[in-house]
Amino acid sequence: MTSSSTTFTSENLEQQLLQEDALLRGHFRLSSGLHSDTYVQCARFLRRPDLAAPAAAELARQIQEAGLQPDLVVGPAMGGVVIGYELARQLGVPGIFTERDDTGQMTLRRGFTIEPGQKIVIAEDVVTTGKSTNEVAKVLEGLGAKVLAVASLIDRTGGKAELTFPNFALLPVTAATYAPDDCPLCRAGIPVVKPGSRPEKAFS
């Protein structure tokens, strides 16, 4: 077991992700339909409280060091639920989550409410394009909240996510992506793997 008392570094986090098979290298089909040489499945990392807690503590430290004082942490289901809960615990504030309704729209359910003027940090396991983060921000801002930042374990955009607020990420991951009809991994004959949890209809 990895000790949570070890000094946190992005290098340690990367090694832990690799050891937990949460960071994979190969040939993958993403939920967007694009192909990539890298796949991230943070659920395998976040199943370990002894790993999740120090990672969230480091995010909390960075947020507080930046002078941000959120009233609430909000994570989009499913990926943001566990890290959002732990980040909220580290910050000493409540943590809730958004989820998609039957039409696919991001929304608040389960009796969760937002008070106008509340300052919020959005928690993600991985920022892949920034799209879902912006969806969550739109919902929260529509309810009168102020989004202070997004905090994630991994920024898969390499810092290129189109966000209008600060992006705190513990590990930037540069991943190549390719259109399926112009993929060098396909041309090399490397079998493509779909390791995620979304159904195949997501690609239709």
Side-chain angles (χ1 to χ4, degrees):
M1 302 290 284
T2 301
S3 171
S4 60
S5 63
T6 302
T7 301
F8 184 92
T9 66
S10 58
E11 290 79 10
N12 288 342
L13 175 62
E14 184 172 10
Q15 286 304 310
Q16 291 168 351
L17 289 162
L18 289 168
Q19 289 167 5
E20 295 300 314
D21 289 331
L23 179 60
L24 304 173
R25 306 292 188 183
H27 183 193
F28 308 100
R29 181 167 60 170
L30 306 178
S31 296
S32 63
L34 296 175
H35 290 200
S36 180
D37 62 353
T38 303
Y39 188 80
V40 179
Q41 179 54 276
C42 280
R44 291 189 57 84
F45 174 87
L46 293 169
R47 65 183 177 162
R48 294 272 302 274
D50 60 312
L51 300 181
E58 174 62 16
L59 281 173
R61 185 193 67 77
Q62 292 183 17
I63 290 166
Q64 292 169 329
E65 193 173 77
L68 302 180
Q69 297 180 326
D71 303 308
L72 187 68
V73 172
V74 178
M78 288 290 295
V81 173
V82 176
I83 188 62
Y85 175 86
E86 183 59 30
L87 179 59
R89 190 179 75 84
Q90 298 282 352
L91 289 169
V93 300
I96 64 175
F97 57 87
T98 58
E99 56 191 308
R100 298 192 184 279
D101 62 19
D102 293 338
T103 68
Q105 296 298 308
M106 193 69 77
T107 186
L108 278 179
R109 302 172 68 180
R110 306 175 193 273
F112 292 147
T113 58
I114 298 293
E115 298 296 327
Q118 276 191 308
K119 295 174 290 185
I120 295 176
V121 168
I122 297 172
E124 298 263 22
D125 55 352
V126 185
V127 172
T128 303
T129 64
K131 181 180 177 181
S132 68
T133 305
N134 282 323
E135 284 185 86
V136 176
K138 183 177 179 181
V139 171
L140 301 175
E141 290 168 348
L143 294 169
K146 176 178 176 55
V147 176
L148 298 179
V150 60
S152 64
L153 295 175
I154 294 175
D155 179 4
R156 200 177 180 280
T157 73
K160 297 179 181 178
E162 295 183 1
L163 303 170
T164 58
F165 36 81
N167 180 5
F168 294 90
L170 297 181
L171 181 67
V173 171
T174 302
T177 56
Y178 312 101
D181 58 357
D182 188 28
C183 175
L185 301 173
C186 288
R187 291 196 294 271
I190 302 171
V192 63
V193 176
K194 172 61 179 73
S197 56
R198 292 190 187 180
E200 288 298 313
K201 67 181 180 181
F203 304 107
S204 62

